[in-house]
Amino acid sequence: MAKSGIGDRAGEVFAALAAAGQATRPQLAVACGLSKPTVSLVMAELEAAALAERSGSSSGATGRTAAVYRLGPRAGYVLAVDRGSTQVALRATTLGGDLLDEDQTSRPASAGAMVQAVLRRGNARGPLRAVVVAVSDVVSPPGRGEPATMARISGAVAALGLPGGAPVHTENNVNCAAIAELAEGAGRDHDSFVFLQVGVAIGAGVVLGRRLVRGVNGAAGEVARLAYPWADDRPPVRDALEARLGSRTLLRRARGRWPGRPDPAPRTAAALFALAEKGDAVALEIVAEHAEAVGNLAASICAVVDPGLVVLGGGVGRNKLLLPGVVATVDRLSWPAEVVVSELGARATVLGAAHLAREQGIRAVLGEGAANRR
């Protein structure tokens, strides 16, 4: 950025241009509530700082043409990483959301090399403005995190081999998925909803009033900590609900029903659901039981949050065979709530991380401008 920085109005227009991807000066004037002459001066300022550039022109109804602007080379780019335990996915975009690069690997140990390759290609697009890494742990505010959790997060980020000084932010993976559903998935037309992830682990991303709820400890939606079982003869155990609903226990129950059958018990949840889809009676029975258990959890969340919409995701949760049983259980036990399967599938987490990275990248540009003015 030019050392003179950019003014407050220029920052406002820059943010509007980033949100739109590309726009004319009249469109930016409407978006920011500024006069057209003011926007013309601002765009000249942004062009001088290489934060915006002309990308063409458009013709209006009167036949007059208007210059179309997009972000310039100094706006830079951002990187989003879904750092899962068994897979790593990444996505590099401009601050305007244009995809520059994406990749994934099922070998987390090789994630560092994959990240380095993407960064080398991205450097041609200007400065790296922000990195958001989605992790499977609770991301707590400063001073509140558990030491062991903080160490795991630090280790996961360090393994990516990001350059020193890179502006890195972390967020819980389920929260990232909820943000993606809000921006471009099943929650885009809803003010409130819950994204319920069911897979090896369970978790929920809670959106109320179109804002993600994180909680005092950053642990809002950590439904694994719900007291379970809640019965007179069995005391609750920490994380017992996750053990009950996780895919490992699902497969263990399947193996317990398989003795005496000529075919081997399914080794993965996908294999179990494939058998159920073919009409296997035992597989169908197990899936129906699991759907009811997931429905019990969804109904419990609705009892507290009353979101009106529950979006099912995760390796198990997004299987459509699970949906009817969850819907029936929620209808029977809870307030009215629509239950749908995620439209974004396995990409939800990295897409949400990319949305967060863009927000952080825009703040970085505006913060740099403010610093240059001091």
Side-chain angles (χ1 to χ4, degrees), residues 286-341:
I286 295 168
V287 168
E289 292 171 359
H290 201 64
E292 183 176 9
V294 172
N296 289 340
L297 172 57
S300 300
I301 295 171
C302 289
V304 176
V305 180
D306 189 20
L309 173 68
V310 176
V311 183
L312 298 177
V316 172
R318 63 175 175 263
N319 194 297
K320 292 187 177 181
L321 284 181
L322 208 69
L323 183 62
V326 177
V327 169
T329 305
V330 170
D331 286 346
R332 178 170 58 87
L333 296 177
S334 186
W335 308 113
E338 183 183 4
V339 183
V340 300
V341 173

Tab-separated table of all heavy atoms in Angstrom, residues 286-341:
chain	number	residue	atom	x	y	z
A	286	ILE	N	-30.001	-50.467	12.008
A	286	ILE	CA	-28.954	-49.709	12.701
A	286	ILE	C	-29.034	-48.229	12.340
A	286	ILE	O	-28.920	-47.353	13.197
A	286	ILE	CB	-27.568	-50.288	12.367
A	286	ILE	CG1	-27.452	-51.710	12.915
A	286	ILE	CG2	-26.462	-49.406	12.928
A	286	ILE	CD1	-26.250	-52.461	12.396
A	287	VAL	N	-29.253	-47.942	11.053
A	287	VAL	CA	-29.371	-46.557	10.608
A	287	VAL	C	-30.582	-45.887	11.256
A	287	VAL	O	-30.511	-44.738	11.694
A	287	VAL	CB	-29.456	-46.491	9.069
A	287	VAL	CG1	-29.882	-45.089	8.609
A	287	VAL	CG2	-28.114	-46.847	8.444
A	288	ALA	N	-31.693	-46.606	11.347
A	288	ALA	CA	-32.901	-46.040	11.963
A	288	ALA	C	-32.660	-45.715	13.439
A	288	ALA	O	-33.088	-44.671	13.934
A	288	ALA	CB	-34.060	-47.023	11.817
A	289	GLU	N	-31.955	-46.602	14.141
A	289	GLU	CA	-31.642	-46.343	15.547
A	289	GLU	C	-30.738	-45.124	15.692
A	289	GLU	O	-30.916	-44.293	16.603
A	289	GLU	CB	-30.976	-47.571	16.164
A	289	GLU	CG	-31.899	-48.776	16.297
A	289	GLU	CD	-31.139	-50.022	16.718
A	289	GLU	OE1	-29.904	-49.934	16.880
A	289	GLU	OE2	-31.771	-51.079	16.864
A	290	HIS	N	-29.763	-45.019	14.804
A	290	HIS	CA	-28.836	-43.888	14.869
A	290	HIS	C	-29.564	-42.587	14.535
A	290	HIS	O	-29.294	-41.539	15.155
A	290	HIS	CB	-27.672	-44.111	13.910
A	290	HIS	CG	-26.460	-43.300	14.251
A	290	HIS	ND1	-25.749	-43.452	15.413
A	290	HIS	CD2	-25.837	-42.289	13.567
A	290	HIS	CE1	-24.738	-42.603	15.442
A	290	HIS	NE2	-24.777	-41.879	14.335
A	291	ALA	N	-30.461	-42.634	13.571
A	291	ALA	CA	-31.234	-41.448	13.213
A	291	ALA	C	-32.051	-40.957	14.402
A	291	ALA	O	-32.146	-39.747	14.657
A	291	ALA	CB	-32.146	-41.753	12.027
A	292	GLU	N	-32.636	-41.881	15.156
A	292	GLU	CA	-33.410	-41.481	16.323
A	292	GLU	C	-32.508	-40.844	17.380
A	292	GLU	O	-32.871	-39.840	18.012
A	292	GLU	CB	-34.146	-42.675	16.922
A	292	GLU	CG	-35.033	-42.295	18.107
A	292	GLU	CD	-35.843	-43.458	18.638
A	292	GLU	OE1	-35.606	-44.606	18.201
A	292	GLU	OE2	-36.715	-43.217	19.492
A	293	ALA	N	-31.305	-41.405	17.573
A	293	ALA	CA	-30.372	-40.840	18.551
A	293	ALA	C	-29.936	-39.431	18.139
A	293	ALA	O	-29.864	-38.514	18.972
A	293	ALA	CB	-29.163	-41.756	18.704
A	294	VAL	N	-29.633	-39.244	16.852
A	294	VAL	CA	-29.270	-37.908	16.360
A	294	VAL	C	-30.462	-36.967	16.501
A	294	VAL	O	-30.316	-35.792	16.860
A	294	VAL	CB	-28.788	-37.978	14.901
A	294	VAL	CG1	-28.588	-36.579	14.321
A	294	VAL	CG2	-27.489	-38.775	14.808
A	295	GLY	N	-31.665	-37.478	16.238
A	295	GLY	CA	-32.871	-36.673	16.402
A	295	GLY	C	-33.071	-36.238	17.843
A	295	GLY	O	-33.509	-35.109	18.111
A	296	ASN	N	-32.752	-37.121	18.792
A	296	ASN	CA	-32.834	-36.742	20.206
A	296	ASN	C	-31.920	-35.560	20.509
A	296	ASN	O	-32.284	-34.630	21.235
A	296	ASN	CB	-32.455	-37.927	21.088
A	296	ASN	CG	-33.498	-39.025	21.081
A	296	ASN	OD1	-34.655	-38.799	20.733
A	296	ASN	ND2	-33.088	-40.239	21.445
A	297	LEU	N	-30.708	-35.600	19.957
A	297	LEU	CA	-29.780	-34.496	20.166
A	297	LEU	C	-30.300	-33.219	19.518
A	297	LEU	O	-30.269	-32.143	20.125
A	297	LEU	CB	-28.402	-34.856	19.600
A	297	LEU	CG	-27.361	-33.734	19.579
A	297	LEU	CD1	-27.145	-33.163	20.978
A	297	LEU	CD2	-26.047	-34.233	18.981
A	298	ALA	N	-30.774	-33.335	18.267
A	298	ALA	CA	-31.299	-32.152	17.576
A	298	ALA	C	-32.474	-31.552	18.336
A	298	ALA	O	-32.590	-30.329	18.468
A	298	ALA	CB	-31.721	-32.528	16.154
A	299	ALA	N	-33.346	-32.413	18.879
A	299	ALA	CA	-34.493	-31.927	19.646
A	299	ALA	C	-34.036	-31.230	20.925
A	299	ALA	O	-34.622	-30.219	21.340
A	299	ALA	CB	-35.422	-33.088	19.980
A	300	SER	N	-32.984	-31.739	21.546
A	300	SER	CA	-32.452	-31.104	22.755
A	300	SER	C	-31.901	-29.726	22.450
A	300	SER	O	-32.091	-28.773	23.215
A	300	SER	CB	-31.355	-31.988	23.364
A	300	SER	OG	-31.863	-33.263	23.719
A	301	ILE	N	-31.208	-29.597	21.317
A	301	ILE	CA	-30.682	-28.287	20.914
A	301	ILE	C	-31.834	-27.323	20.641
A	301	ILE	O	-31.803	-26.157	21.058
A	301	ILE	CB	-29.786	-28.433	19.665
A	301	ILE	CG1	-28.541	-29.256	20.004
A	301	ILE	CG2	-29.398	-27.065	19.121
A	301	ILE	CD1	-27.711	-29.629	18.793
A	302	CYS	N	-32.868	-27.804	19.959
A	302	CYS	CA	-34.016	-26.948	19.655
A	302	CYS	C	-34.724	-26.492	20.925
A	302	CYS	O	-35.260	-25.381	20.982
A	302	CYS	CB	-34.997	-27.695	18.752
A	302	CYS	SG	-34.405	-27.949	17.067
A	303	ALA	N	-34.706	-27.342	21.947
A	303	ALA	CA	-35.358	-26.975	23.201
A	303	ALA	C	-34.677	-25.778	23.858
A	303	ALA	O	-35.322	-24.979	24.544
A	303	ALA	CB	-35.348	-28.169	24.162
A	304	VAL	N	-33.377	-25.632	23.632
A	304	VAL	CA	-32.626	-24.533	24.244
A	304	VAL	C	-32.563	-23.317	23.327
A	304	VAL	O	-32.730	-22.174	23.766
A	304	VAL	CB	-31.198	-25.002	24.598
A	304	VAL	CG1	-30.375	-23.848	25.156
A	304	VAL	CG2	-31.242	-26.155	25.586
A	305	VAL	N	-32.317	-23.540	22.045
A	305	VAL	CA	-32.017	-22.448	21.121
A	305	VAL	C	-33.226	-22.032	20.285
A	305	VAL	O	-33.336	-20.880	19.877
A	305	VAL	CB	-30.836	-22.856	20.196
A	305	VAL	CG1	-30.501	-21.741	19.224
A	305	VAL	CG2	-29.612	-23.217	21.017
A	306	ASP	N	-34.133	-22.969	19.988
A	306	ASP	CA	-35.293	-22.720	19.134
A	306	ASP	C	-34.876	-22.065	17.820
A	306	ASP	O	-35.345	-20.975	17.465
A	306	ASP	CB	-36.304	-21.842	19.881
A	306	ASP	CG	-37.636	-21.717	19.138
A	306	ASP	OD1	-37.925	-22.582	18.272
A	306	ASP	OD2	-38.378	-20.765	19.412
A	307	PRO	N	-34.000	-22.723	17.037
A	307	PRO	CA	-33.441	-22.076	15.851
A	307	PRO	C	-34.361	-22.072	14.633
A	307	PRO	O	-34.148	-21.300	13.709
A	307	PRO	CB	-32.193	-22.913	15.572
A	307	PRO	CG	-32.582	-24.285	16.028
A	307	PRO	CD	-33.453	-24.077	17.235
A	308	GLY	N	-35.323	-22.982	14.610
A	308	GLY	CA	-36.203	-23.070	13.451
A	308	GLY	C	-35.647	-23.878	12.308
A	308	GLY	O	-36.391	-24.330	11.430
A	309	LEU	N	-34.334	-24.076	12.282
A	309	LEU	CA	-33.690	-24.843	11.216
A	309	LEU	C	-32.490	-25.585	11.792
A	309	LEU	O	-31.676	-24.997	12.500
A	309	LEU	CB	-33.213	-23.929	10.079
A	309	LEU	CG	-32.368	-24.586	8.978
A	309	LEU	CD1	-33.208	-25.568	8.156
A	309	LEU	CD2	-31.744	-23.533	8.065
A	310	VAL	N	-32.390	-26.866	11.478
A	310	VAL	CA	-31.221	-27.669	11.827
A	310	VAL	C	-30.633	-28.198	10.528
A	310	VAL	O	-31.339	-28.842	9.732
A	310	VAL	CB	-31.576	-28.841	12.758
A	310	VAL	CG1	-30.349	-29.709	13.023
A	310	VAL	CG2	-32.161	-28.323	14.067
A	311	VAL	N	-29.368	-27.918	10.292
A	311	VAL	CA	-28.665	-28.380	9.092
A	311	VAL	C	-27.744	-29.527	9.496
A	311	VAL	O	-26.862	-29.349	10.332
A	311	VAL	CB	-27.841	-27.247	8.443
A	311	VAL	CG1	-27.174	-27.750	7.157
A	311	VAL	CG2	-28.727	-26.041	8.152
A	312	LEU	N	-27.960	-30.695	8.919
A	312	LEU	CA	-27.159	-31.867	9.249
A	312	LEU	C	-25.927	-31.927	8.352
A	312	LEU	O	-26.021	-31.827	7.128
A	312	LEU	CB	-27.971	-33.144	9.072
A	312	LEU	CG	-29.222	-33.300	9.960
A	312	LEU	CD1	-29.956	-34.589	9.602
A	312	LEU	CD2	-28.831	-33.301	11.429
A	313	GLY	N	-24.762	-32.107	8.970
A	313	GLY	CA	-23.524	-32.233	8.215
A	313	GLY	C	-22.623	-33.265	8.847
A	313	GLY	O	-23.013	-33.984	9.767
A	314	GLY	N	-21.402	-33.362	8.350
A	314	GLY	CA	-20.470	-34.381	8.824
A	314	GLY	C	-20.579	-35.641	7.994
A	314	GLY	O	-21.542	-35.844	7.242
A	315	GLY	N	-19.591	-36.514	8.135
A	315	GLY	CA	-19.535	-37.717	7.311
A	315	GLY	C	-20.752	-38.607	7.435
A	315	GLY	O	-21.174	-39.248	6.473
A	316	VAL	N	-21.349	-38.652	8.630
A	316	VAL	CA	-22.564	-39.446	8.847
A	316	VAL	C	-23.804	-38.570	8.700
A	316	VAL	O	-24.773	-38.936	8.046
A	316	VAL	CB	-22.543	-40.103	10.244
A	316	VAL	CG1	-23.872	-40.771	10.551
A	316	VAL	CG2	-21.419	-41.134	10.317
A	317	GLY	N	-23.771	-37.390	9.288
A	317	GLY	CA	-24.949	-36.536	9.334
A	317	GLY	C	-25.474	-36.126	7.976
A	317	GLY	O	-26.683	-35.918	7.814
A	318	ARG	N	-24.598	-35.984	6.978
A	318	ARG	CA	-25.074	-35.536	5.679
A	318	ARG	C	-25.617	-36.662	4.808
A	318	ARG	O	-25.984	-36.427	3.653
A	318	ARG	CB	-23.988	-34.761	4.943
A	318	ARG	CG	-22.749	-35.536	4.601
A	318	ARG	CD	-21.801	-34.663	3.767
A	318	ARG	NE	-20.539	-35.341	3.506
A	318	ARG	CZ	-19.442	-35.174	4.193
A	318	ARG	NH1	-19.437	-34.343	5.225
A	318	ARG	NH2	-18.332	-35.820	3.888
A	319	ASN	N	-25.679	-37.889	5.341
A	319	ASN	CA	-26.273	-38.984	4.585
A	319	ASN	C	-27.792	-38.862	4.625
A	319	ASN	O	-28.402	-38.831	5.696
A	319	ASN	CB	-25.829	-40.331	5.158
A	319	ASN	CG	-26.146	-41.475	4.222
A	319	ASN	OD1	-27.309	-41.737	3.926
A	319	ASN	ND2	-25.108	-42.135	3.729
A	320	LYS	N	-28.413	-38.814	3.470
A	320	LYS	CA	-29.853	-38.546	3.403
A	320	LYS	C	-30.702	-39.667	3.976
A	320	LYS	O	-31.881	-39.456	4.282
A	320	LYS	CB	-30.250	-38.246	1.958
A	320	LYS	CG	-29.668	-36.927	1.460
A	320	LYS	CD	-30.176	-36.532	0.095
A	320	LYS	CE	-29.609	-35.172	-0.311
A	320	LYS	NZ	-30.088	-34.728	-1.641
A	321	LEU	N	-30.139	-40.870	4.141
A	321	LEU	CA	-30.899	-41.947	4.773
A	321	LEU	C	-31.177	-41.642	6.242
A	321	LEU	O	-32.119	-42.183	6.823
A	321	LEU	CB	-30.131	-43.270	4.675
A	321	LEU	CG	-30.121	-43.982	3.319
A	321	LEU	CD1	-29.330	-45.264	3.434
A	321	LEU	CD2	-31.526	-44.255	2.836
A	322	LEU	N	-30.364	-40.780	6.830
A	322	LEU	CA	-30.537	-40.425	8.230
A	322	LEU	C	-31.683	-39.429	8.416
A	322	LEU	O	-32.296	-39.363	9.491
A	322	LEU	CB	-29.238	-39.823	8.765
A	322	LEU	CG	-28.925	-39.956	10.258
A	322	LEU	CD1	-28.632	-41.399	10.602
A	322	LEU	CD2	-27.741	-39.070	10.621
A	323	LEU	N	-31.967	-38.656	7.383
A	323	LEU	CA	-32.866	-37.508	7.506
A	323	LEU	C	-34.276	-37.855	7.990
A	323	LEU	O	-34.778	-37.202	8.918
A	323	LEU	CB	-32.916	-36.752	6.178
A	323	LEU	CG	-33.762	-35.482	6.152
A	323	LEU	CD1	-33.220	-34.455	7.137
A	323	LEU	CD2	-33.782	-34.889	4.737
A	324	PRO	N	-34.973	-38.838	7.404
A	324	PRO	CA	-36.362	-39.075	7.834
A	324	PRO	C	-36.490	-39.380	9.324
A	324	PRO	O	-37.421	-38.880	9.979
A	324	PRO	CB	-36.797	-40.270	6.973
A	324	PRO	CG	-35.907	-40.223	5.778
A	324	PRO	CD	-34.595	-39.729	6.285
A	325	GLY	N	-35.582	-40.174	9.857
A	325	GLY	CA	-35.646	-40.508	11.274
A	325	GLY	C	-35.383	-39.314	12.170
A	325	GLY	O	-36.016	-39.162	13.228
A	326	VAL	N	-34.451	-38.437	11.760
A	326	VAL	CA	-34.169	-37.232	12.535
A	326	VAL	C	-35.386	-36.310	12.509
A	326	VAL	O	-35.799	-35.761	13.548
A	326	VAL	CB	-32.922	-36.498	11.993
A	326	VAL	CG1	-32.686	-35.204	12.770
A	326	VAL	CG2	-31.694	-37.398	12.074
A	327	VAL	N	-35.962	-36.129	11.331
A	327	VAL	CA	-37.142	-35.273	11.197
A	327	VAL	C	-38.275	-35.782	12.080
A	327	VAL	O	-38.927	-35.010	12.809
A	327	VAL	CB	-37.599	-35.204	9.725
A	327	VAL	CG1	-38.963	-34.535	9.619
A	327	VAL	CG2	-36.574	-34.460	8.886
A	328	ALA	N	-38.538	-37.085	12.038
A	328	ALA	CA	-39.637	-37.656	12.822
A	328	ALA	C	-39.417	-37.462	14.317
A	328	ALA	O	-40.356	-37.150	15.064
A	328	ALA	CB	-39.788	-39.141	12.492
A	329	THR	N	-38.179	-37.631	14.758
A	329	THR	CA	-37.879	-37.484	16.188
A	329	THR	C	-38.007	-36.041	16.639
A	329	THR	O	-38.557	-35.753	17.713
A	329	THR	CB	-36.468	-38.023	16.490
A	329	THR	OG1	-36.372	-39.375	16.037
A	329	THR	CG2	-36.184	-37.977	17.983
A	330	VAL	N	-37.505	-35.103	15.843
A	330	VAL	CA	-37.631	-33.680	16.185
A	330	VAL	C	-39.103	-33.279	16.205
A	330	VAL	O	-39.551	-32.560	17.104
A	330	VAL	CB	-36.823	-32.814	15.197
A	330	VAL	CG1	-37.141	-31.329	15.388
A	330	VAL	CG2	-35.328	-33.052	15.376
A	331	ASP	N	-39.869	-33.746	15.225
A	331	ASP	CA	-41.301	-33.426	15.196
A	331	ASP	C	-42.014	-33.945	16.445
A	331	ASP	O	-42.933	-33.311	16.961
A	331	ASP	CB	-41.952	-34.039	13.951
A	331	ASP	CG	-41.586	-33.289	12.671
A	331	ASP	OD1	-41.056	-32.165	12.774
A	331	ASP	OD2	-41.840	-33.833	11.580
A	332	ARG	N	-41.568	-35.091	16.929
A	332	ARG	CA	-42.236	-35.712	18.079
A	332	ARG	C	-41.859	-35.052	19.399
A	332	ARG	O	-42.679	-34.964	20.314
A	332	ARG	CB	-41.876	-37.203	18.112
A	332	ARG	CG	-42.451	-37.982	19.291
A	332	ARG	CD	-42.238	-39.476	19.099
A	332	ARG	NE	-40.845	-39.827	18.936
A	332	ARG	CZ	-40.013	-40.089	19.952
A	332	ARG	NH1	-40.450	-39.995	21.204
A	332	ARG	NH2	-38.767	-40.416	19.718
A	333	LEU	N	-40.615	-34.563	19.506
A	333	LEU	CA	-40.105	-34.120	20.803
A	333	LEU	C	-39.937	-32.623	20.970
A	333	LEU	O	-39.832	-32.151	22.108
A	333	LEU	CB	-38.744	-34.790	21.067
A	333	LEU	CG	-38.726	-36.308	21.197
A	333	LEU	CD1	-37.287	-36.793	21.378
A	333	LEU	CD2	-39.588	-36.767	22.359
A	334	SER	N	-39.889	-31.868	19.884
A	334	SER	CA	-39.398	-30.499	20.008
A	334	SER	C	-40.353	-29.474	19.422
A	334	SER	O	-41.423	-29.799	18.897
A	334	SER	CB	-38.035	-30.383	19.329
A	334	SER	OG	-37.479	-29.114	19.551
A	335	TRP	N	-39.920	-28.194	19.536
A	335	TRP	CA	-40.605	-27.108	18.851
A	335	TRP	C	-40.494	-27.322	17.347
A	335	TRP	O	-39.585	-28.005	16.873
A	335	TRP	CB	-39.946	-25.765	19.204
A	335	TRP	CG	-39.782	-25.510	20.656
A	335	TRP	CD1	-38.614	-25.426	21.349
A	335	TRP	CD2	-40.819	-25.299	21.615
A	335	TRP	NE1	-38.844	-25.188	22.667
A	335	TRP	CE2	-40.204	-25.099	22.873
A	335	TRP	CE3	-42.209	-25.263	21.543
A	335	TRP	CZ2	-40.912	-24.865	24.027
A	335	TRP	CZ3	-42.930	-25.038	22.699
A	335	TRP	CH2	-42.294	-24.832	23.918
A	336	PRO	N	-41.399	-26.728	16.581
A	336	PRO	CA	-41.309	-26.877	15.122
A	336	PRO	C	-39.948	-26.424	14.601
A	336	PRO	O	-39.480	-25.330	14.925
A	336	PRO	CB	-42.438	-25.974	14.602
A	336	PRO	CG	-43.412	-25.908	15.734
A	336	PRO	CD	-42.584	-25.945	16.989
A	337	ALA	N	-39.331	-27.269	13.828
A	337	ALA	CA	-38.027	-26.938	13.243
A	337	ALA	C	-37.851	-27.722	11.949
A	337	ALA	O	-38.151	-28.919	11.899
A	337	ALA	CB	-36.892	-27.261	14.211
A	338	GLU	N	-37.399	-27.036	10.939
A	338	GLU	CA	-37.070	-27.703	9.680
A	338	GLU	C	-35.719	-28.385	9.834
A	338	GLU	O	-34.798	-27.827	10.438
A	338	GLU	CB	-37.008	-26.665	8.550
A	338	GLU	CG	-36.746	-27.250	7.176
A	338	GLU	CD	-36.625	-26.191	6.096
A	338	GLU	OE1	-36.662	-24.976	6.438
A	338	GLU	OE2	-36.482	-26.564	4.924
A	339	VAL	N	-35.592	-29.592	9.298
A	339	VAL	CA	-34.325	-30.315	9.338
A	339	VAL	C	-33.935	-30.637	7.897
A	339	VAL	O	-34.712	-31.242	7.150
A	339	VAL	CB	-34.426	-31.616	10.157
A	339	VAL	CG1	-33.052	-32.303	10.222
A	339	VAL	CG2	-34.945	-31.334	11.563
A	340	VAL	N	-32.733	-30.224	7.490
A	340	VAL	CA	-32.265	-30.451	6.127
A	340	VAL	C	-30.833	-30.964	6.168
A	340	VAL	O	-30.135	-30.836	7.170
A	340	VAL	CB	-32.325	-29.160	5.277
A	340	VAL	CG1	-33.744	-28.625	5.197
A	340	VAL	CG2	-31.388	-28.093	5.835
A	341	VAL	N	-30.407	-31.527	5.061
A	341	VAL	CA	-29.026	-31.978	4.913
A	341	VAL	C	-28.203	-30.855	4.279
A	341	VAL	O	-28.684	-30.143	3.394
A	341	VAL	CB	-28.966	-33.245	4.036
A	341	VAL	CG1	-27.517	-33.633	3.734
A	341	VAL	CG2	-29.687	-34.392	4.732
